[in-house]
Amino acid sequence: MPEALTLTAPGPDGTDRQVRLSSPDKVVWPATDRGAAITKADLAAYLQAVAEPMLRGLADRPVTLQRVRGGIEGEEFYSKNPPKGVPEWARTTMVTYPSGRSHPQLVVDDPATLLWTAQMGTVTWHPWPVRTGDNDHPDEVRVDLDPQPGRDYRDVVEAAHGLRTVMTEVGLDPHVKTTGSRGVHVFAAVRPTLEFLDVRHAVIGIARELERRLPDLVTPPGGRRSGASGSSSTTTRPPATAPSRPPGAPVSCLARRCRCRSPGSSSTRSTPRP
């Protein structure tokens, strides 16, 4: 394979842009007993194949990039500011924190920008629960459920069903997706009228009600009981790759209710190999 590839994809304005992919045969995820190694070129090809559904979750949102140097066995870090060398045609948005600190953040609206993030070593994309037109008022409620020590994925599935019920009862329309790792995310659209702190308080209230109904299973953040713990968070967006440390590059996917009801459910293990 050549030392670099030049990929062409539509940019934010629909104009085709060229993206240079250096070291395309560099291994990002080493081989496992489940399959061959996944290279930088494999990841780029995957992103080209799934760009349309993936961008439905990323577009028009500030995105935090989870990046690696030297593949997943190397250094891992997060980029909130746009990485150095961001193309002039890529879009950014200004975000401001409660402290008053502000900075531009990358917006991944289009296939070309998505490919460029792969060139920069991105393995997971974390979109904020806001739109660029109003970065102060979330338009989604998100809850992250993870198994605690001594529990497994089936416990998380049971907790997710309970959480869907609670969220539905308060007027939300929740959806469930796997993280590609150990847990699931449950999320729902809300009107962007409340600030982050208000939305967080609402999520805490939902978590406490879920704990009341499933006291032997659920532990809100900071709790001590074993079971599935939950927190509000940014989330990956399907079909994004999962947090980078799991071997084999598992993929985050929207969960079908029939699959979640299976007593033998286990975490989704699709991988970014076209």
Side-chain angles (χ1 to χ4, degrees), residues 131-188:
R131 300 287 180 174
T132 60
D134 184 355
N135 287 328
D136 297 321
H137 299 91
D139 69 343
E140 284 188 349
V141 169
R142 301 172 177 178
V143 183
D144 184 6
L145 296 173
D146 288 308
Q148 295 302 286
R151 299 293 184 131
D152 61 23
Y153 188 70
R154 287 170 292 189
D155 297 309
V156 175
V157 170
E158 182 180 350
H161 279 293
L163 180 58
R164 285 187 69 252
T165 299
V166 174
M167 293 175 72
T168 299
E169 288 176 359
V170 298
L172 298 174
D173 180 22
H175 302 274
V176 180
K177 71 176 201 60
T178 65
T179 64
S181 185
R182 302 180 307 136
V184 300
H185 293 148
V186 184
F187 61 98

Side-chain angles (χ1 to χ4, degrees), residues 80-134:
K80 293 185 177 180
N81 288 285
K84 184 178 179 180
V86 62
E88 54 85 20
W89 40 260
R91 190 159 76 98
T92 61
T93 185
M94 189 64 66
V95 297
T96 302
Y97 296 87
S99 64
R101 182 174 65 92
S102 61
H103 64 77
Q105 190 134 354
L106 190 67
V107 180
V108 184
D109 280 328
D110 56 277
T113 302
L114 185 59
L115 285 175
W116 180 79
T117 63
Q119 161 63 12
M120 300 308 294
T122 304
V123 292
T124 309
W125 295 255
H126 298 272
W128 286 33
V130 297
R131 300 287 180 174
T132 60
D134 184 355

Side-chain angles (χ1 to χ4, degrees), residues 20-36:
R20 183 177 185 271
L21 192 74
S22 62
S23 305
D25 57 351
K26 178 185 292 185
V27 172
V28 183
W29 285 271
T32 69
D33 57 1
R34 300 184 181 208

Side-chain angles (χ1 to χ4, degrees), residues 247-269:
V251 170
S252 168
C253 296
L254 285 171
R256 296 179 180 178
R257 295 177 187 176
C258 58
R259 174 178 292 177
C260 281
R261 286 196 178 116
S262 170
S265 293
S266 61
S267 183
T268 295
R269 288 290 177 178

